């Protein structure tokens, strides 16, 4: 399994932005599809965004579309989730995850946690004034 680690979370005011990063210990994520999920207290983990192995397709959940953007930093071998116009309801722990095998991210196909087997420990995002 891939060992993942997230970074970039923090406390931000409503309307602010954060740039979350997902990296793997010792190697690049360029060869993996990567998904981003979040889990708020007392709620189920939900899929937010996903990028395919060759970055030729992405998925972004409707409830964050227009505010969340997923991309790759191929030079660093990381996957970035840019979060803009943050709202209090975005408060959650954000996780990145890798599937056990080939996975194609596409809009219109929901992102399910059970399709992903390798998870990072998460990074806390808190949106509050």
């Amino acid at each position: 399994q891939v060992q993942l680690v997230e970074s970039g979370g923090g406390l931000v005011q409503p309307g602010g932005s954060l740039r979350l990063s997902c990296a793997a210990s010792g190697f690049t994520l360029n060869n993996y599809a990567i998904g981003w999920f979040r889990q708020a207290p007392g709620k189920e983990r939900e899929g937010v965004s996903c990028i395919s192995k060759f970055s030729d397709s992405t998925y972004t959940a409707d409830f964050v579309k227009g505010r969340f953007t997923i991309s790759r930093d191929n030079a660093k071998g990381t996957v970035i989730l840019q979060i803009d116009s943050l709202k209090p309801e975005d408060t959650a722990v954000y996780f990145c995850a890798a599937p056990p095998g080939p996975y194609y991210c596409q809009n219109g196909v929901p992102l399910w946690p059970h399709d992903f087997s390798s998870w990072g420990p998460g990074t806390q995002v808190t949106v509050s004034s």
Side-chain angles (χ1 to χ4, degrees):
Q1 287 192 342
V2 179
Q3 290 188 326
L4 304 173
V5 60
E6 307 87 347
S7 62
L11 173 63
V12 63
Q13 292 187 340
S17 296
L18 283 174
R19 182 178 169 91
L20 306 185
S21 180
C22 177
S25 299
F27 59 96
T28 179
L29 292 181
N30 292 350
N31 296 322
Y32 293 87
I34 294 294
W36 279 97
F37 298 79
R38 70 183 184 184
Q39 188 165 18
K43 294 190 176 182
E44 297 287 324
R45 190 168 298 189
E46 59 183 2
V48 172
S49 193
C50 177
I51 188 165
S52 292
K53 176 180 176 179
F54 298 111
S55 304
D56 55 336
S57 69
T58 62
Y59 163 86
T60 302
D62 287 343
F63 53 84
V64 298
K65 195 167 288 185
R67 300 190 298 118
F68 287 27
T69 305
I70 193 168
S71 62
R72 290 186 183 273
D73 184 333
N74 288 323
K76 295 182 179 179
T78 59
V79 174
I80 305 300
L81 184 67
Q82 177 69 36
I83 309 177
D84 298 316
S85 303
L86 276 157
K87 304 176 181 181
E89 51 264 40
D90 294 320
T91 295
V93 178
Y94 283 72
F95 302 88
C96 65
Y103 187 92
Y104 193 70
C105 309
Q106 53 185 318
N107 278 321
V109 179
L111 206 58
W112 299 110
H114 61 244
D115 289 329
F116 291 75
S117 58
S118 298
W119 293 83
T123 185
Q124 177 70 48
V125 171
T126 302
V127 185
S128 175
S129 55

